Amino acid sequence: MASARELFLELGYPATTIAAVARRADVSADTIYNAFGSKSALLKEVLDVVIGGDDEDVALLERAGPQAVRAEPDQRRQIALFSAGMTGQLERVRPMDDILRGAAAVDAAAAELRTDLQVRQRREAVRAVVAWIAAHGPLRDELAQEDAAAIVWTLTSPEVHLMLRDTWGWPRERYQEWLRDTLTASLLPA
């Protein structure tokens, strides 16, 4: 998977072949096909490791960082913890999401994977985080949890991260502070 990740980042999805991954990993192409089945399945496995930060079989929201957000009783501190964790995750995930976005344009399986990751899974996760925050106090101006989740989903998107970190050249710390301050202002009463 490390070889596949390196090649996806170096060459992009269309130019990365199973044969090239096999050469880089010093295994046969059959070994990769037997383990993963297809190039898009290999990409999915690489993304699962990148998203979680390791190859442990633990659901993302059950990991220590999200559970610390859930357990924190102060809403502002919850948002600060979430912003720090999300920044770290986006720093890992965004370069691979850039690859996946490009792959989605030429590969139906990759398009399906990106939709699942960015729409279904990320929406589900931000809905949970918003529910954790709302459990510790009111949201701004009686903001509905579903609307709050839409705000969080948008502000934590790889696209917004790309625009601020790469296009505008913000350092990681500035992005994290912006995310914390913007989420706090958007979700919580003044």
Side-chain angles (χ1 to χ4, degrees):
M1 285 197 312
S3 296
R5 181 177 185 270
E6 291 168 5
L7 285 169
F8 286 139
L9 289 171
E10 286 173 24
L11 305 175
Y13 181 81
T16 299
T17 64
I18 293 293
V21 174
R23 277 191 303 277
R24 171 95 38 118
D26 200 26
V27 299
S28 73
D30 286 342
T31 298
I32 295 173
Y33 281 115
N34 288 336
F36 300 101
S38 68
K39 184 166 80 167
S40 61
L42 176 59
L43 178 61
K44 181 191 180 311
E45 291 298 320
V46 168
L47 283 162
D48 285 349
V49 170
V50 170
I51 289 166
D54 58 44
D55 62 357
E56 296 294 319
D57 191 21
V58 178
L60 186 62
L61 293 179
E62 298 302 319
R63 292 171 176 264
Q67 287 301 303
V69 172
R70 183 181 198 171
E72 174 58 52
D74 179 81
Q75 288 176 305
R76 282 174 168 61
R77 183 77 185 124
Q78 281 182 298
I79 291 173
L81 290 169
F82 173 73
S83 297
M86 184 54 64
T87 299
Q89 185 183 54
L90 283 166
E91 293 289 317
R92 286 191 317 273
V93 171
R94 220 278 332 295
M96 284 303 300
D97 184 71
D98 293 346
I99 299 302
L100 182 57
R101 190 178 323 108
V106 297
D107 184 290
E112 215 172 281
L113 173 59
R114 186 158 196 275
T115 298
D116 183 59
L117 290 172
Q118 291 300 323
V119 177
R120 186 187 65 79
Q121 291 183 38
R122 234 171 46 76
R123 273 191 191 174
E124 192 176 294
V126 298
R127 283 179 175 133
V129 170
V130 166
W132 297 344
I133 294 167
H136 294 288
L139 297 178
R140 178 185 59 80
D141 300 328
E142 299 179 22
L143 181 65
Q145 284 189 35
E146 188 67 9
D147 292 338
I151 291 166
V152 174
W153 183 77
T154 301
L155 293 175
T156 61
S157 71
E159 293 83 359
V160 170
H161 182 267
L162 171 70
M163 288 187 286
L164 294 175
R165 288 283 283 121
D166 291 11
T167 306
W168 280 99
W170 281 9
R172 176 184 173 138
E173 298 75 25
R174 183 169 183 194
Y175 172 83
Q176 182 177 324
E177 290 170 6
W178 168 84
L179 184 59
R180 180 199 62 215
D181 295 346
T182 304
L183 288 173
T184 299
S186 298
L187 300 179
L188 301 183

